[in-house]
Amino acid sequence: MSEEIKAAPIRNGTVIDHITSSQALNVLKILGVNENTIDSTVIVVMHVYSKKLESGWKDVVKIEDRELDQNTVDKIALIAPQATIVIIRDYYVANKFKVDIGNHVVGLARCSNPDCITNKGEPIEPEFDVISKNPPVLRCMYCERKLTNISDNLL
């Protein structure tokens, strides 16, 4: 496929590239972007051809005038483990890096087990071991429940 998708460049902000296809809307949720909160340009490109991803398809999100904090990057890594973050300043790439969820996750997602101690009002932060990075699968440190529907359980 030689078809090229072109989206308007942003002067300052963040491009999130190589998002797992169909996850762009979940990325927008992580970013807190919805119809009531948009105060800058947001460009979303969904299901476009990718040479780099095994599936052959990716999503891309561009958001003007916003750089991401580490917590947000970590949440994106949980649902799009092959994503690339590109920081743009004055139309140039200032920084580019791949997301990485590491081997242990603390305080980013809730356990899906309603009987887990982390869901019983105790002052305990949810903790997970990463047992698979792609696709992401987490295991609760307290009840050992596997978490695969991560986007539905992000904090």
Side-chain angles (χ1 to χ4, degrees), residues 28-85:
L28 291 177
K29 189 172 18 171
I30 290 168
L31 296 173
V33 174
N34 63 50
E35 64 276 0
N36 300 321
T37 63
I38 296 176
D39 57 359
S40 60
T41 301
V42 177
I43 300 166
V44 179
V45 181
M46 297 178 72
H47 200 72
V48 294
Y49 178 70
S50 171
K51 293 179 193 173
K52 291 185 177 184
L53 297 183
E54 284 182 30
S55 69
W57 303 98
K58 69 177 181 177
D59 294 348
V60 180
V61 172
K62 292 183 175 187
I63 185 162
E64 185 92 38
D65 297 325
R66 181 158 174 205
E67 292 186 17
L68 308 181
D69 60 37
Q70 190 60 50
N71 187 278
T72 302
V73 171
D74 291 345
K75 287 181 182 180
I76 291 169
L78 287 174
I79 64 164
Q82 295 176 311
T84 302
I85 307 291

Side-chain angles (χ1 to χ4, degrees), residues 9-150:
I10 57 175
R11 180 175 182 170
N12 295 299
T14 302
V15 177
I16 307 163
D17 196 1
H18 302 105
I19 299 168
T20 308
S21 186
S22 78
Q23 290 295 324
L25 297 179
N26 287 324
V27 168
L28 291 177
K29 189 172 18 171
I30 290 168
L31 296 173
V33 174
N34 63 50
E35 64 276 0
N36 300 321
T37 63
I38 296 176
D39 57 359
S40 60
T41 301
V42 177
I43 300 166
V44 179
V45 181
M46 297 178 72
H47 200 72
V48 294
Y49 178 70
S50 171
K51 293 179 193 173
K52 291 185 177 184
L53 297 183
E54 284 182 30
S55 69
W57 303 98
K58 69 177 181 177
D59 294 348
V60 180
V61 172
K62 292 183 175 187
I63 185 162
E64 185 92 38
D65 297 325
R66 181 158 174 205
E67 292 186 17
L68 308 181
D69 60 37
Q70 190 60 50
N71 187 278
T72 302
V73 171
D74 291 345
K75 287 181 182 180
I76 291 169
L78 287 174
I79 64 164
Q82 295 176 311
T84 302
I85 307 291
V86 183
I87 307 300
I88 306 294
R89 295 189 187 123
D90 291 324
Y91 296 107
Y92 291 98
V93 174
N95 192 10
K96 181 177 181 177
F97 58 93
K98 293 183 75 91
V99 299
D100 181 25
I101 58 176
N103 296 317
H104 193 75
V105 175
V106 179
L108 297 177
R110 74 180 59 80
C111 182
S112 61
N113 178 0
D115 293 325
C116 181
I117 191 167
T118 61
N119 291 321
K120 294 292 189 180
E122 298 291 331
I124 298 173
E125 245 185 333
E127 288 188 53
F128 299 89
D129 280 328
V130 178
I131 58 174
S132 172
K133 291 189 178 189
N134 195 15
V137 179
L138 308 177
R139 183 177 52 232
C140 179
M141 294 290 297
Y142 299 100
C143 72
E144 298 189 1
R145 166 89 50 106
K146 288 183 182 176
L147 183 63
T148 57
N149 57 338
I150 296 169

